[in-house]
Amino acid sequence: MNLFRKWRLCLNAGKANPALAQAQMQSFSKQMPLMYVIVIIDTIALAYVHYPFAPKLLSLYLPAGLVALSIIRMITYWSFGRNPLSDDQAKSRLRQMTVLAAVLGGIFSTWTLTLYAYGNAYTQVQILLITGVTCFGMIVCLMPLWNSALVLVISTIGVVSTYMLVSGKTEFMTVSINLVLVACVVLVVLHRYSRDFARLVAHQQAMDTRQEETQELSDKNLRMANQDSLTDLANRRRFFSELKARIETGRARKFGLAVAVLDLDGFKPINDIYGHAAGDRVLIEVARRLSEFSEDVFATRLGGDEFGLVIENYVTDEELIEMGACICGLLQAPVNTGSTMAQMSGSLGICKFPDSADTAEKLFECADYALFHAKSLSRGHSVLFTEGHGEKIRDERSIDRRLQDADLENELSVAFQFVVDDSIDKIVGAEALARWTNPVLGWVSPAAFIPAAERSGSINRLTEIMFRKTIEAVALWPDDLFISFNLSPHDIAVPEHIRHLASLVEQSGIAPHRFTFEITESSFMHDFQRALESLQILKNLGCKIALDDFGTGFSSLSHVRNLPLDRLKVDRSFVNDIESDQASRAVARTIIDLCRNLKLDCIVEGVETVEQLQILKEIGCTKIQGYLFSRPMEVATAMQYVKDNADIRQIA
Ligand code: C2E
Ligand code: MG
Ligand code: MG
């Protein structure tokens, strides 16, 4: 019963499993021509031998028909048989093959048995032999199709052996028994083979499925690795790989290739005020606008509110700049965040390939640099990276390099710019300003080397050296002069470092209240609490704190209220055009009033002309720092200046 089930399963295997049917037909189709060659040769051999004594129907027409049928089958195979089959086609071909094996086997064996009556003993042996050989030859060819092989054996060996057995001749009986036994053995072997074949196909199928799953998984991973999950735009990794690919393919391109980095202005407040869900909506909407903007712009999200664009196929610089302006314009339309209509803008930095940079990294770096300029000088607009920017970068790089190797103790010096109180016509103090003269670069502006020191992390050391030099230089100054000293946000961010500066104040022998430390508003952007802790250390010692460059940064009133300030310094940008610009005058007046109301000391920086001084006096400010009274001067000159002023005061 068990054996019978196995055989039945084997018989129906092809029907149940379309992949197996396909594999069986594919394997058999290679042998099929050989099978018909065997049939044709054996048919001709039998017909030839029986032609002299058998009727024409049996020795000519019927074999000719059989040969013709075989040839037609071979031709059909050569024409269509090698085409890939669908599942259904494979199953139906399997069925056809079984029927064909029965029909062909039946015709062949009936024909040979009919011939049997016309020959002699030799021809009868030939019939037996050829039937056996043909049948076994065909079985070997039918190896992948066990059903067909079984049917063939029954319709040939089965029929012929039965006939021989009932013939009563011992020789024939033994041959037929032998034939049946061999056929059975061949069938068993074939059965095993077809079972292994089915297993092999199933294994291959499983491997294919696993491979498909692995491929699917790896496709998914690849997508995830290259796509931004929030906006569905390509991500930073894809931005660079795509840019590199386009640079490679586009080296000989006729039209332009450029990179743009876009940063949203005013995105943080949206996130802070309306929540992250609203922020996400803004990013999704911006991504949609960018991706739909043009076929020539490949938009990606680099992270946060920063987007990277690869722009292609522009012809002139003007066209590129126009494109940049359109992209910025695109972002100015309000975004519906669900709870409100958010209004923002975006600044864009653009860099051209290969004019300004010829690798993906450099293009990005330069576009980012142009973005920095857009952000600081023309928010909401685009800036194209120029040769001038390139020179600036090169300067910054060489400053960075030299600063790293510099002998700061010897190369740094301090300069003093005096502050005058015009109402009493005397100097009240001085600001210490860092000066760096490098053997290779020569004199370098603090506006260049202070940011470089901040970038490289050497600012704390620089500040300490500067402060020691300042203390040393002012040791002999009169007690009534204050000394202002600039601190970087990076100094304020490290309370331990400020503690060290405080200890230098204590060791200096100079009264702490004479020291004013100047800070800028950006000191509080990163970590307000730590910055406050630093200021408290200085305040507790008795030092004073001034907020420098007031009016240029965020100029938040809450900073003025929440910080332990003693003084505000009005930035010189308001003084430059105070004579002609009503707005600058109004800002200066407001800050001076603010100081008066909050009882803060006020110094206006950058006063260069008598007219400016006059206006400032009219709006209530008398403490002035500027070239009109004093340019920054080196230690010895400053000492002499202090002495001369003291003499003047004594004479007065
Ligand atoms: P600041 O602290 O606002 O210093 C005032 C700057 O304005 C000085 O430039 C000074 O020379 C310049 N200035 C003063 N009056 C006038 C004027 O009438 N007209 C013009 N055109 N300029 C005037 P300087 O020395 O080049 O310093 C630039 C900036 O570098 C400083 O701005 C300060 O932010 C920074 N800095 C200077 N020394 C140090 C330092 O030791 N440590 C730190 N962290 N920063 C420093
Ligand atoms: Mg200052
Ligand atoms: Mg200043």
Side-chain angles (χ1 to χ4, degrees):
M1 185 64 191
N2 199 13
L3 190 71
F4 176 69
R5 246 191 83 223
K6 275 191 192 168
W7 278 56
R8 236 189 49 202
L9 272 179
C10 202
L11 275 172
N12 292 321
K15 282 184 215 156
N17 184 346
L20 178 59
Q22 291 225 24
Q24 284 176 314
M25 281 314 295
Q26 214 175 5
S27 173
F28 167 65
S29 66
K30 289 178 202 143
Q31 272 104 254
M32 190 206 252
L34 286 178
M35 190 178 86
Y36 285 108
V37 168
I38 294 171
V39 173
I40 291 168
I41 292 173
D42 289 353
T43 308
I44 293 172
L46 268 182
Y48 177 73
V49 170
H50 287 84
Y51 187 70
F53 28 84
K56 290 240 174 354
L57 176 69
L58 293 179
S59 61
L60 185 65
Y61 302 132
L62 206 122
L66 212 58
V67 169
L69 189 74
S70 302
I71 291 174
I72 290 169
R73 283 290 294 157
M74 279 171 74
I75 293 172
T76 341
Y77 166 75
W78 286 118
S79 317
F80 316 106
R82 284 173 301 170
N83 296 342
L85 300 174
S86 69
D87 289 353
D88 287 342
Q89 278 173 331
K91 280 199 273 183
S92 107
R93 291 275 170 89
L94 270 187
R95 272 194 303 274
Q96 280 173 18
M97 279 311 299
T98 315
V99 174
L100 200 71
V103 173
L104 204 69
I107 294 175
F108 195 81
S109 52
T110 316
W111 174 56
T112 54
L113 290 180
T114 328
L115 280 180
Y116 193 76
Y118 296 98
N120 50 32
Y122 292 113
T123 58
Q124 286 170 348
V125 170
Q126 187 213 20
I127 288 174
L128 262 185
L129 197 77
I130 286 191
T131 309
V133 166
T134 310
C135 178
F136 287 122
M138 286 172 78
I139 288 176
V140 171
C141 296
L142 283 169
M143 248 162 102
L145 314 181
W146 193 79
N147 308 7
S148 310
L150 178 67
V151 168
L152 186 78
V153 167
I154 295 168
S155 61
T156 52
I157 310 271
V159 172
V160 172
S161 304
T162 315
Y163 184 83
M164 297 294 159
L165 275 176
V166 294
S167 72
K169 289 183 188 157
T170 322
E171 298 84 355
F172 288 153
M173 284 169 74
T174 50
V175 171
S176 69
I177 289 170
N178 196 271
L179 267 180
V180 171
L181 283 178
V182 174
C184 286
V185 171
V186 171
L187 278 177
V188 169
V189 172
L190 273 196
H191 175 252
R192 282 187 189 151
Y193 168 82
S194 65
R195 211 179 43 198
D196 290 347
F197 185 82
R199 274 196 203 130
L200 198 73
V201 171
H203 178 71
Q204 186 62 43
Q205 247 181 309
M207 292 279 286
D208 288 350
T209 319
R210 208 168 305 152
Q211 208 169 340
E212 261 170 40
E213 281 170 6
T214 316
Q215 187 61 41
E216 233 170 71
L217 206 68
S218 107
D219 288 351
K220 198 173 161 196
N221 282 346
L222 198 71
R223 256 198 321 278
M224 274 167 66
N226 286 292
Q227 199 176 32
D228 173 55
S229 56
L230 177 68
T231 61
D232 281 349
L233 285 185
N235 63 8
R236 190 183 191 90
R237 173 202 295 257
R238 176 87 194 283
F239 168 76
F240 279 103
S241 61
E242 197 66 32
L243 179 57
K244 280 178 189 158
R246 292 185 194 203
I247 286 174
E248 278 315 309
T249 54
R251 287 214 179 264
R253 68 172 60 233
K254 227 165 98 198
F255 300 115
L257 171 70
V259 163
V261 182
L262 181 139
D263 192 276
L264 298 181
D265 306 313
F267 176 70
K268 195 172 176 298
I270 295 176
N271 240 351
D272 291 348
I273 299 167
Y274 302 110
H276 285 268
D280 285 354
R281 287 221 182 102
V282 169
L283 292 173
I284 292 168
E285 175 58 15
V286 168
R288 190 191 63 77
R289 290 182 196 176
L290 291 176
S291 56
E292 288 175 3
F293 174 64
S294 157
E295 277 181 2
D296 294 329
V297 174
F298 174 67
T300 66
R301 182 176 171 218
L302 299 173
D305 60 347
E306 201 176 59
F307 294 82
L309 309 173
V310 181
I311 304 173
E312 288 181 298
N313 297 331
Y314 64 89
V315 182
T316 59
D317 282 8
E318 287 69 34
E319 209 179 304
L320 181 61
I321 292 167
E322 179 63 34
M323 246 178 163
C326 286
I327 293 170
C328 291
L330 206 69
L331 302 178
Q332 273 160 6
V335 178
N336 188 350
T337 64
S339 53
T340 184
M341 293 300 282
Q343 184 79 48
M344 354 143 275
S345 63
S347 305
L348 199 68
I350 310 176
C351 180
K352 285 190 309 171
F353 169 87
D355 313 24
S356 304
D358 59 358
T359 64
E361 287 76 17
K362 281 192 205 156
L363 274 166
F364 176 74
E365 206 179 301
C366 295
D368 200 39
Y369 193 83
L371 170 66
F372 168 74
H373 278 261
K375 280 253 169 213
S376 44
L377 301 174
S378 52
R379 267 174 181 248
H381 295 94
S382 69
V383 167
L384 183 63
F385 186 86
T386 59
E387 186 46 36
H389 292 134
E391 266 167 33
K392 259 186 143 177
I393 288 187
R394 281 191 288 281
D395 288 352
E396 280 175 11
R397 289 229 176 100
S398 68
I399 289 175
D400 285 358
R401 261 200 313 276
R402 299 286 162 203
L403 194 70
Q404 257 169 11
D405 307 333
D407 175 4
L408 289 182
E409 285 285 354
N410 286 318
E411 293 176 26
L412 279 177
S413 63
V414 58
F416 291 98
Q417 185 180 29
F418 288 92
V419 178
V420 172
D421 187 341
D422 192 64
S423 64
I424 49 174
D425 198 19
K426 69 178 218 183
I427 54 170
V428 285
E431 177 175 5
L433 296 163
R435 296 291 176 257
W436 179 40
T437 310
N438 179 260
V440 180
L441 298 173
W443 186 87
V444 185
S445 160
F449 74 79
I450 296 288
E454 288 173 340
R455 276 196 298 274
S456 70
S458 56
I459 185 72
N460 290 171
R461 196 164 84 84
L462 185 148
T463 302
E464 195 219 311
I465 295 173
M466 279 301 304
F467 194 50
R468 275 196 279 106
K469 285 181 186 273
T470 302
I471 290 174
E472 201 183 315
V474 302
L476 298 176
W477 286 15
D479 289 347
D480 56 348
L481 293 183
F482 71 76
I483 303 110
S484 243
F485 186 82
N486 291 289
L487 290 179
S488 150
H490 294 253
D491 294 319
I492 298 288
V494 191
E496 298 70 39
H497 170 63
I498 297 296
R499 237 171 245 123
H500 177 61
L501 296 182
S503 72
L504 292 179
V505 172
E506 284 172 319
Q507 290 160 23
S508 69
I510 300 169
H513 73 266
R514 287 182 57 203
F515 286 100
T516 304
F517 288 93
E518 297 190 7
I519 56 166
T520 53
E521 284 181 280
S522 46
S523 310
F524 298 89
M525 289 295 107
H526 183 55
D527 188 339
F528 189 88
Q529 282 312 321
R530 273 174 88 82
L532 202 60
E533 189 187 334
S534 293
L535 292 197
Q536 276 311 334
I537 295 169
L538 298 169
K539 283 295 284 184
N540 293 345
L541 193 66
C543 300
K544 302 211 165 110
I545 308 292
L547 193 55
D548 203 359
D549 304 336
F550 191 73
T552 54
F554 299 90
S555 301
S556 144
L557 282 182
S558 69
H559 280 163
V560 177
R561 212 161 36 101
N562 296 332
L563 296 172
L565 296 178
D566 300 281
R567 176 181 298 158
L568 285 190
K569 291 187 79 174
V570 182
D571 191 70
R572 75 163 189 268
S573 54
F574 299 108
V575 182
N576 285 343
D577 49 5
I578 201 165
E579 296 153 76
S580 54
D581 187 21
Q582 289 296 329
S584 291
R585 194 181 300 197
V587 172
R589 186 197 297 273
T590 309
I591 301 174
I592 291 162
D593 287 347
L594 179 78
C595 290
R596 194 177 306 121
N597 293 336
L598 294 176
K599 305 214 171 2
L600 292 175
D601 201 12
C602 181
I603 293 177
V604 179
E605 295 183 285
V607 182
E608 294 183 355
T609 66
V610 180
E611 289 74 23
Q612 290 170 346
L613 174 67
Q614 201 51 46
I615 294 169
L616 288 167
K617 275 177 17 185
E618 277 165 25
I619 59 178
C621 179
T622 54
K623 285 203 182 124
I624 306 294
Q625 181 178 346
Y627 292 173
L628 178 64
F629 291 107
S630 150
R631 283 189 176 254
M633 48 189 89
E634 57 174 31
V635 174
T637 322
M639 187 68 226
Q640 191 57 47
Y641 189 80
V642 169
K643 272 193 191 155
D644 293 349
N645 267 273
D647 293 345
I648 293 166
R649 273 183 274 154
Q650 268 169 19
I651 295 164

